[in-house]
Amino acid sequence: MTNDFAALFPDEVVTKAFTRLVDVPGLAGKLALITIDNGHDHTRPSTFGPGGLTSLNAALDEAFAAEPTAIAVTGKPFVFAVGADLSGIGRITEREHAHQIAQIGHDVFRRLTESKIPTFAFVNGATLGGGLELALSCHYRTVSANAGAIAFPECFLGLFPGWGGTQLLPNLIGPDAAVTVIIENALSQNRMLNPKKASRLGIFDELLDSPDFLEESLRWAVRVINGEQAVTRPEIDRGKAWDDAVARAKDIVEARTHGASPAVTKAVELIELARGNDLDAGYAAETEALTDALMSDELRSGLYSFDLTQKRAKRPAGAPDKSLARNVTKVGVVGAGLMAGQLALLFVRRLEVPVVITDVDQERIDRGVGYIHGEIDKLAAKGRLSPDAVNRLKALVTGSLDKKAFADADFVIEAVFEEMSVKQQVFAELEEHVSPEAILATNTSSLSITEMGSKLKNPERVVGFHFFNPVAVLPLLEVVRGEQTDDAALATAFKVGKQLKKSCVLVKDAPAFVVNRLLTRFMGEVIATIDEGTPFEVADNALVPLGLPMSPMVLLQLVGPAVAQHVNETMHAAYPDRFGLSDNMQRFVDARKTAVWITDSGKQVVDPEVAALWEQGDKPSTSEQVRDRALNALAEEIRIMLDEGVVVEAQDIDLCMLLGAGWPFWLGGITPYLDRAGISEKINGKRFLAPGVASVPA
């Protein structure tokens, strides 16, 4: 087994476990303290692959052999452990190997649970997934008040806690709280717990706010062992409360995944099974379910997605040499509307440099500055900014009617009306005042960067800098290179994007770039079926089996029909054969309608005014036909985009859909799903990704 695993996990950074016997004042006998450490600093957190679990098992052998009074496990500075090493999962082709990986975690961690002597976890830092399962496997737990992220992120990846988490947590903190931690938080964009919240839930027995965390934990452990410190646990209601928790879990999973992620559905079943508090049965079920999950395409897609967001996003494909980037010491924002305000707030928070906004009149400028100051106050009220930081950030934000205020700005971004002539005029005015090296960035969602800079003396410094709404939430930044954009401007844009904590993808200057182009094509096909006679509810629910974050008509409402129509007009002008114009959509926009759906007597129904203006044909499609049409169109458009060189590889398309459109990890963005559904080959004659990439190797 060891040789097999060594071949499957050749890149494992082995987390070593070191046992030392320590004398603790007040304790009769010694305490065996096991420290888990992968030999790197906190920027490379400790994980558990086969080598790491083997080392921990050996450390436990050593600890038990010493016959100590107690055993405690802790981590390296700032990190306890952040879960399983997933690097070799993609190489597993045999179910037997998957089963061994599922089993070994249980076998090692369970030694702490079934120990006849007290076992403790001193959680000194970030603890995720398998790291949290290790802590739960101990009898008692302390946590440092400054510990980093605490969570079970597995369901976010299309997995579930498989080394005891689904069985131990509900029986420790109750089923409803466990549903929140295991399912609800993970499916809410991977929400984390802080130490205080985790302690309130009962995950930890003691929260220690001390620079001497380890020493304080040892003292606390002595009091527990000597009976001086009572550790109380809630009585678990295994009746109606458990029924209610499982019902809530099912509702959350249906709303967030629509059954598209089998492992998340399995998480609910395992929490339900935990009601019996039978670890033999529960762990056996976890092992079998984890084995199934490890051999599923959905998990491979989830791991592919994770790899894209953790690695590729940090090293953007095609980006120029970082050394060419210029420093940005002042930022200008043209516009004072909502988007401009969001951008200014982001720049001042992340860069902490002067940010000046401008608009056509003082009233708008004052309103814009007021909005930014108000958002800073909200952050302070949530405890995310100190009073000093509030004063400093507010002082950095100013407004001016005169674009001369941009004279010493290194980076100016426009967020004005989405009209080419307007944006060209703005850039022409800016060029009169800024230095020739200052970057001129545009937040356009669909217009040509090349054309926007075509009338300038220095078009080489114009770059697309396309954020997604809401700016503070969605991590994607499409960095668009115009035909004249030089490497220095592009490198500076990537540097700034990184400082803004955004994930940047290099995009060619093509209509609507990546996300908006695909969503517009996708949406256009759905709307066309409605025009032809498909009922709104049939068309809007056709994509439910994919588990997308929202339906097409809800997405239309979020984007805004007028904005969506404007982007579609841009696409129609560029590719009239694939992007049609809907007369119904134009009437919808002209009527200033914002949504198809309204709520009537608690039910979602089509707005009667929308139904009246929408002229439908007599050729309705079924849900399956709508879904096939939309997915076929996506497969065709992605292939065309790759042929055009809009991005470097299909992986960049997927990264954009994950981070800019919030498409699920278990879809792998989109191309892995199109591959495994056979759509890629049907439409294009070939897959987007090689077999075994985001799928189980044949």
Side-chain angles (χ1 to χ4, degrees), residues 333-349:
V333 179
V334 183
L338 180 58
M339 177 55 82
Q342 290 184 67
L343 295 179
L345 177 66
L346 181 66
F347 276 99
V348 76
R349 282 194 68 201

Side-chain angles (χ1 to χ4, degrees), residues 336 357-370 398-402:
I357 66 173
T358 188
D359 212 311
V360 295
D361 60 55
Q362 191 63 45
E363 183 182 349
R364 295 186 194 199
I365 292 171
D366 291 344
R367 195 161 55 237
V369 172
T398 57
S400 174
L401 273 171
D402 193 338

Side-chain angles (χ1 to χ4, degrees), residues 269-347:
E269 296 176 20
L270 290 167
I271 291 172
E272 189 165 15
L273 178 65
R275 188 196 307 241
N277 199 21
D278 180 342
L279 285 191
D280 287 335
Y283 281 14
E286 265 191 352
T287 296
E288 288 305 312
L290 182 55
T291 303
D292 290 339
L294 292 174
M295 295 303 294
S296 71
D297 285 336
E298 287 85 359
L299 176 61
R300 304 302 173 99
S301 290
L303 298 180
Y304 164 85
S305 299
F306 182 75
D307 194 59
L308 291 181
T309 58
Q310 296 302 305
K311 295 179 181 176
R312 193 176 185 93
K314 292 171 182 170
R315 292 185 289 276
D321 193 310
K322 296 177 185 177
S323 66
L324 299 172
R326 304 184 186 112
N327 289 327
V328 172
T329 59
K330 182 177 179 179
V331 172
V333 179
V334 183
L338 180 58
M339 177 55 82
Q342 290 184 67
L343 295 179
L345 177 66
L346 181 66
F347 276 99

Side-chain angles (χ1 to χ4, degrees), residues 148-210:
I150 299 164
F152 277 131
E154 285 88 347
C155 285
F156 181 67
L157 296 175
L159 193 55
F160 54 82
W163 284 341
T166 67
Q167 303 305 296
L168 295 170
L169 190 64
N171 283 296
L172 177 68
I173 66 174
D176 193 65
V179 166
T180 297
V181 176
I182 294 172
I183 295 174
E184 186 175 22
N185 285 358
L187 295 180
S188 299
Q189 291 301 307
N190 205 14
R191 185 185 299 150
M192 302 282 160
L193 296 171
N194 60 38
K196 186 178 292 186
K197 180 72 180 291
S199 297
R200 278 205 302 267
L201 286 173
I203 295 174
F204 299 102
D205 300 308
E206 188 76 6
L207 175 70
L208 295 172
D209 187 6
S210 168

Side-chain angles (χ1 to χ4, degrees), residues 414 416-427 452:
E414 67 77 21
V416 299
F417 186 66
E418 192 77 346
E419 181 69 47
M420 180 60 74
S421 60
V422 176
K423 292 180 184 289
Q424 285 180 329
Q425 181 184 343
V426 165
F427 276 175
M452 208 175 293

